[in-house]
């Protein structure tokens, strides 16, 4: 089953202690690349999440966004940096004296300044958050894969239609092949006849050379291989595994064959179909870049 490499999926899970929301987004990438965006306190779970990703995905650039809430009542300790309190108090007294203002700075005012109060949460054990995090993550992965699969079906239909179009173009090239060979042979034989009339040359050798040169413009082998590649393409499309790299290699082989045809076919009619084939192969190549 074909899967696109682009997609989005979200998942949620919550219990009495924790609440997690996960969003996943993938785009094209030659290999699997993961970028985590989540609270630092959850970094301990990154290895488990990476293993889970590899169960679902093999290629693509994946952005992982995690929103996490700890719903537990926490023991909180507040400490005061008395050195900062003294420094802020002295600075405020100096400002009052300078401006001729009366009164002492309020404690609430000094406490609001940076780093005066330090709040520490005693309960930092997040081991219990793992099942909630993994459940939200699996839901997001499932939704992501469903979207990639749906998009993959659209790509599959488009690629199969384009392969049919390619078969039609190659069939037209095959119809032209005998005419191109015959035309080339006639031109070559005429030139040789003119040459033989002037020089004393072994006629059997000339006939042999004519056959050899004529074979060089015959691209039947290449069109046969192209049909084989088209069959392989359809076969690979039916595989239940990641197929993007296999299709990419096959497209390179198609390009190689049609380039050989282009070098052999000294014909305006054939050249037109060669251009059509190369254009369609390029469209297929662009689509295959979206396949996992």
């Amino acid at each position: 089953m074909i899967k696109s490499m682009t997609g989005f999926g979200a998942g949620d899970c919550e219990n009495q202690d924790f609440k997690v929301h996960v969003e996943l987004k993938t785009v094209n990438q030659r290999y699997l690349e993961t970028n985590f965006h989540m609270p630092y306190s959850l970094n301990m779970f990154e290895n488990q999440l990476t293993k889970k990703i590899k169960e679902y995905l093999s290629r693509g650039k994946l952005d992982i966004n995690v929103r996490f809430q700890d719903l537990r009542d926490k023991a909180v300790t507040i400490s005061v940096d008395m050195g900062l309190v003294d420094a802020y108090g002295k600075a405020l007294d100096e400002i009052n004296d300078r401006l001729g203002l009366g009164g002492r700075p309020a404690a609430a005012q000094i406490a609001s300044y940076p780093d005066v109060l330090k709040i520490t949460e005693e309960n930092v054990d997040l081991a219990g958050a793992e099942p909630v995090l993994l459940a939200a993550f699996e839901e997001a992965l499932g939704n992501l894969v469903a979207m990639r699969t749906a998009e993959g079906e659209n790509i599959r239909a488009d690629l199969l239609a384009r392969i049919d179009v390619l078969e039609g173009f190659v069939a037209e090239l095959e119809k032209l092949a005998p005419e191109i060979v015959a035309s080339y042979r006639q031109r070559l034989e005429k030139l040789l006849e003119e040459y033989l009339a002037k020089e004393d040359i072994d006629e059997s050798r000339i006939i042999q050379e004519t056959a050899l040169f004529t074979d060089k413009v015959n691209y039947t082998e290449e069109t046969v291989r192209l049909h084989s590649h088209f069959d392989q393409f359809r076969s690979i499309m039916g595989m239940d595994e990641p197929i993007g790299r296999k299709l990419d290699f096959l497209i390179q082989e198609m390009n190689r064959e049609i380039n050989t045809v282009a070098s052999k076919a000294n014909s305006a009619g054939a050249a037109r179909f060669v251009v059509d084939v190369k254009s369609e192969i390029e469209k297929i190549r662009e689509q295959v870049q979206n396949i996992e």
Side-chain angles (χ1 to χ4, degrees):
M1 183 179 293
I2 291 179
K3 294 186 182 73
S4 169
M5 277 196 285
T6 59
F8 174 84
D12 295 276
C13 189
E14 179 179 0
N15 64 14
Q16 63 181 7
D17 293 330
F18 306 103
K19 183 177 182 179
V20 178
H21 175 75
V22 176
E23 292 184 357
L24 307 176
K25 179 182 178 182
T26 55
V27 295
N28 296 354
Q29 177 72 290
R30 185 171 178 82
Y31 303 102
L32 180 62
E33 177 184 329
T34 56
N35 297 304
F36 286 90
H37 309 281
M38 60 185 181
Y40 177 79
S41 59
L42 299 182
N43 284 354
M44 68 175 80
F45 303 118
E46 187 171 324
N47 285 340
Q48 294 97 307
L49 297 180
T50 300
K51 289 179 182 178
K52 185 62 63 176
I53 289 168
K54 291 179 179 179
E55 293 177 13
Y56 287 80
L57 311 175
S58 62
R59 294 177 70 194
K61 180 180 179 181
L62 176 64
D63 283 316
I64 304 115
N65 290 280
V66 179
R67 293 204 299 269
F68 174 75
Q69 288 180 263
D70 190 339
L71 306 176
R72 296 172 296 177
D73 292 331
K74 304 173 187 67
V76 177
T77 300
I78 299 178
S79 58
V80 182
D81 188 328
M82 298 308 298
L84 273 178
V85 169
D86 292 340
Y88 280 128
K90 182 179 179 181
L92 291 171
D93 285 339
E94 290 177 355
I95 292 172
N96 283 335
D97 292 342
R98 179 80 175 188
L99 300 178
L101 302 175
R104 298 279 296 169
Q109 181 182 1
I110 295 177
S112 67
Y113 293 146
D115 301 323
V116 172
L117 300 180
K118 183 180 180 181
I119 301 174
T120 304
E121 294 181 355
E122 299 295 334
N123 189 357
V124 294
D125 181 14
L126 295 179
E130 183 177 355
V132 181
L133 176 61
L134 287 176
F137 206 73
E138 283 215 73
E139 182 183 359
L141 280 168
N143 291 331
L144 172 67
V145 170
M147 184 173 181
R148 283 163 58 118
T149 300
E151 178 62 22
E153 283 302 301
N154 294 331
I155 294 174
R156 178 179 182 276
D158 179 71
L159 289 177
L160 288 175
R162 294 190 184 281
I163 288 294
D164 289 343
V165 170
L166 278 176
E167 290 243 65
F169 289 149
V170 172
E172 294 299 325
L173 281 169
E174 287 174 317
K175 291 178 185 177
L176 291 173
E179 177 186 329
I180 292 172
V181 171
S183 175
Y184 183 83
R185 181 185 291 274
Q186 289 173 3
R187 290 199 307 270
L188 189 57
E189 286 177 347
K190 183 179 179 180
L191 288 172
L192 290 172
E193 284 175 2
E194 294 175 356
Y195 187 64
L196 284 170
K198 301 176 182 177
E199 302 288 343
D200 183 19
I201 300 176
D202 182 2
E203 186 172 350
S204 63
R205 177 63 183 275
I206 295 300
I207 293 172
Q208 182 183 7
E209 292 298 326
T210 301
L212 288 172
F213 277 100
T214 301
D215 187 58
K216 289 183 179 180
V217 300
N218 188 349
Y219 50 77
T220 301
E221 288 185 15
E222 286 73 25
T223 57
V224 168
R225 281 196 290 268
L226 279 169
H227 284 300
S228 175
H229 292 333
F230 300 154
D231 290 340
Q232 284 182 274
F233 195 96
R234 294 187 182 100
S235 176
I236 292 171
M237 295 263 282
M239 294 179 176
D240 189 19
E241 62 183 67
I243 60 173
R245 290 194 183 96
K246 291 181 179 179
L247 292 181
D248 192 50
F249 171 77
L250 200 54
I251 288 166
Q252 294 178 40
E253 294 302 303
M254 291 181 194
N255 261 320
R256 184 175 292 110
E257 300 299 344
I258 197 61
N259 285 334
T260 303
V261 172
S263 67
K264 288 186 173 183
N266 186 18
S267 158
R272 178 170 62 83
F273 285 113
V274 165
V275 170
D276 289 337
V277 170
K278 295 181 77 169
S279 175
E280 204 65 29
I281 289 176
E282 178 59 22
K283 292 173 184 176
I284 291 174
R285 189 195 67 78
E286 290 174 359
Q287 276 286 44
V288 166
Q289 303 310 305
N290 296 319
I291 295 177
E292 184 178 20

